[in-house]
Amino acid sequence: MTYCVALKLKNGIVCLSDTRTNAGIDTISKYKKMFTWTIPGDRVITMMTAGNLAITQAVISLLNENIEHSEDGIETLYTAPTLFRVAEIVGDAMRIVMNRYGPGLSQAGESALSSIVVAGQRAGGEMRLFHVYSAGNFIEATEDTPYFQIGEHKYGKPILDRVIDDQTPLNVGITAAFLSMDSTLRSNLSVGMPLDLAVMKKDVIGFDQLRRIEEGDEMWAQMSEEWSAALRGAFEQMTLIDV
Amino acid sequence: MTYCVALKLKNGIVCLSDTRTNAGIDTISKYKKMFTWTIPGDRVITMMTAGNLAITQAVISLLNENIEHSEDGIETLYTAPTLFRVAEIVGDAMRIVMNRYGPGLSQAGESALSSIVVAGQRAGGEMRLFHVYSAGNFIEATEDTPYFQIGEHKYGKPILDRVIDDQTPLNVGITAAFLSMDSTLRSNLSVGMPLDLAVMKKDVIGFDQLRRIEEGDEMWAQMSEEWSAALRGAFEQMTLIDV
């Protein structure tokens, strides 16, 4: 499986993804699920993928192929005038790939379900965060629901529900995304390190942070331990019920 | 959906279930999912059900029918010599019901999947906790994994993973079960109040607590608020990452 989370906050966007992929529990591999495109000062785009790996890889490859052959006049991630148009281009690529492989997968009884989170900003535009579905349709994060999760989203949802709103500062959002991932890693073996983190500050039109967090990363271990201790402390303070 | 959690701890067993049932999101009803049988001093049994409501209702009805007609010499929940035998009787009832309705449900494309948690103690025996599956087979909770969850289990798993082992005191276990339920209620609309709580202390062979927690229950509201405040406090203490 997969766990990816993206938060659109007042001062920026945070994207965090794991790298574990499995076909059955005895075929586990490591695949990057975060992909980025940037023309500094002009546009910054981060995508994260979940679902059928062959489908999402094909979509990402198609998007990159079109960039390489953009002399053909095809609109690409690097030429789209807005982030909304970027989401449409991703949706179009999804539909092309699904039309090609969906029926065969369906016949084989395999799921073709896939989803892609698209986040970023175009110079002069607002920060945008979209969730593109298998049919190529998509929804956008709003003030009411400023985050998207794809993949194994349930373990890490309670902490987001408690902490995140659209006014959350960026550093608080990063910590919440980390703790959401930490809970998921602890409870579900199909989600695993290393992680990929992308932070896009508002109006910077570039990456403030773009890095891989490896197994054994000191910052991560410290955060994870600190949260364990804080949770234990919080739990120990609870009034217990007499029995 | 449903969320039920059962913990087998050194000093007793805690069972907690919700009461929301839905067939689609526009058909929501309230059904008790906890069922109890007791001969004080001789045996105490608690079951919790999840999955296809018609299937689990039929299983519980069949178990009760057999008790009423026990003059026929059928072994029942009230005559079984051990809790292990009780789990087998539940498994047998599950198989009978599944054989009757499983093929029809399968033809209609509906899921017949159901599961029943069976917990209790027979005088002279140990406390036992079983998870009975749709095929009537079952597993038992052990020292390594002293709890079972059925239904919407993911939201409430992280807190259990952090807090519960088989040496956890009973009152701490009850609080952990409450917080596990609280997280699930907050994040998933298909799980809802009121709740049913059963606490069976070790070797009492009866119920220490057996009660319904209604919407607006003062103890519940206080616990829920206390945990929210404690979590917020724990989160606010976290070292934030510079951005």
Side-chain angles (χ1 to χ4, degrees), chain A residues 152-155 157-159 161-163 170-172 174-176 178-179 182-183 186-188 199 201 208-209 219 223 226-228 230-231 234-235 237-243, chain B residues 152-155 157-159 161-163 170-172 174-176 178-179 182-183 186-188 199 201 208-209 219 223 226-228 230-231 234-235 237-243:
Chain A
E152 275 289 352
H153 63 282
K154 295 186 179 181
Y155 305 101
K157 190 165 186 291
I159 181 74
D161 282 342
R162 286 178 191 275
V163 170
L170 200 49
N171 55 354
V172 173
I174 294 172
T175 302
F178 280 3
L179 301 183
D182 188 50
S183 294
R186 275 171 187 269
S187 289
N188 193 305
V199 178
K201 273 191 185 164
D208 188 65
Q209 292 195 42
M219 173 282 298
M223 180 281 308
E226 193 179 335
W227 181 235
S228 277
L231 271 189
F235 187 81
Q237 284 165 34
M238 289 291 293
T239 313
L240 298 177
I241 287 150
D242 288 332
V243 285
Chain B
E152 274 290 353
H153 63 282
K154 294 185 181 182
Y155 306 101
K157 190 165 188 286
I159 181 75
D161 282 343
R162 285 178 192 274
V163 170
L170 200 49
N171 55 356
V172 174
I174 294 172
T175 302
F178 281 3
L179 301 183
D182 188 51
S183 294
R186 274 170 189 270
S187 289
N188 194 304
V199 179
K201 272 191 184 163
D208 188 67
Q209 293 195 41
M219 172 281 298
M223 179 280 307
E226 194 179 332
W227 182 234
S228 276
L231 272 188
F235 186 82
Q237 285 165 34
M238 290 292 294
T239 312
L240 298 177
I241 288 150
D242 289 332
V243 285

Side-chain angles (χ1 to χ4, degrees), chain B residues 110-126:
Chain B
E110 295 288 337
S111 171
L113 277 182
S114 302
S115 47
I116 301 183
V117 163
V118 180
Q121 190 175 14
R122 176 80 218 280
E126 296 294 315

Side-chain angles (χ1 to χ4, degrees), chain B residues 26-223:
Chain B
D26 53 354
T27 313
I28 290 180
S29 347
K30 199 168 79 178
Y31 281 97
K32 192 174 161 72
K33 297 161 193 172
M34 180 183 285
F35 305 89
T36 59
W37 295 262
T38 178
I39 304 173
D42 175 75
R43 71 190 61 210
V44 58
I45 302 166
T46 301
M47 294 187 204
M48 298 189 293
T49 62
N52 185 303
L53 182 66
I55 295 286
T56 58
Q57 280 194 345
V59 172
I60 298 296
S61 297
L62 182 55
L63 293 169
N64 283 328
E65 284 275 316
N66 285 342
I67 289 171
E68 282 170 35
H69 299 91
S70 62
E71 62 269 21
D72 304 352
I74 302 167
E75 200 171 43
T76 73
L77 303 184
Y78 282 145
T79 59
T82 63
L83 251 288
F84 178 80
R85 186 65 198 127
V86 166
E88 282 187 332
I89 290 170
V90 175
D92 289 348
M94 181 73 99
R95 284 193 297 119
I96 290 167
V97 171
M98 288 298 285
N99 285 342
R100 192 182 301 152
Y101 302 117
L105 283 164
S106 172
Q107 253 179 320
E110 295 288 337
S111 171
L113 277 182
S114 302
S115 47
I116 301 183
V117 163
V118 180
Q121 190 175 14
R122 176 80 218 280
E126 296 294 315
M127 297 185 297
R128 307 288 286 268
L129 173 60
F130 300 97
H131 181 167
V132 181
Y133 296 100
S134 295
N137 58 332
F138 54 86
I139 57 170
E140 182 168 10
T142 62
E143 288 173 15
D144 289 329
T145 305
Y147 70 85
F148 286 135
Q149 304 171 286
I150 55 177
E152 274 290 353
H153 63 282
K154 294 185 181 182
Y155 306 101
K157 190 165 188 286
I159 181 75
L160 300 178
D161 282 343
R162 285 178 192 274
V163 170
I164 296 298
D165 63 45
D166 65 318
Q167 295 302 305
T168 304
L170 200 49
N171 55 356
V172 174
I174 294 172
T175 302
F178 281 3
L179 301 183
S180 173
M181 179 64 80
D182 188 51
S183 294
T184 311
L185 289 171
R186 274 170 189 270
S187 289
N188 194 304
L189 280 183
S190 75
V191 176
M193 301 278 274
L195 311 174
D196 289 308
L197 170 71
V199 179
M200 297 169 279
K201 272 191 184 163
K202 188 180 179 181
D203 298 335
V204 167
I205 321 290
F207 290 103
D208 188 67
Q209 293 195 41
L210 184 60
R211 70 190 193 84
R212 174 151 284 196
I213 298 164
E214 296 284 352
E215 184 93 54
D217 180 275
E218 204 170 306
M219 172 281 298
W220 183 268
Q222 195 179 318
M223 179 280 307

Side-chain angles (χ1 to χ4, degrees), chain A residues 163-212:
Chain A
V163 170
I164 296 299
D165 63 43
D166 66 316
Q167 295 303 307
T168 305
L170 200 49
N171 55 354
V172 173
I174 294 172
T175 302
F178 280 3
L179 301 183
S180 174
M181 179 64 79
D182 188 50
S183 294
T184 310
L185 289 171
R186 275 171 187 269
S187 289
N188 193 305
L189 280 183
S190 75
V191 177
M193 302 278 275
L195 311 173
D196 289 308
L197 170 71
V199 178
M200 297 169 281
K201 273 191 185 164
K202 188 181 178 180
D203 298 335
V204 167
I205 322 289
F207 290 102
D208 188 65
Q209 292 195 42
L210 184 60
R211 69 190 192 87
R212 174 151 285 197

Side-chain angles (χ1 to χ4, degrees), chain A residues 24-75:
Chain A
I25 61 160
D26 53 353
T27 314
I28 290 179
S29 347
K30 199 167 80 178
Y31 281 96
K32 192 173 164 69
K33 297 162 194 172
M34 180 183 285
F35 304 89
T36 59
W37 296 262
T38 180
I39 304 174
D42 175 74
R43 69 190 63 211
V44 58
I45 304 167
T46 301
M47 294 187 204
M48 298 189 292
T49 63
N52 186 305
L53 181 66
I55 296 286
T56 57
Q57 280 195 345
V59 172
I60 298 295
S61 295
L62 182 55
L63 293 170
N64 283 327
E65 284 274 317
N66 285 343
I67 289 171
E68 283 170 35
H69 300 89
S70 60
E71 63 270 19
D72 303 353
I74 303 167
E75 200 170 44

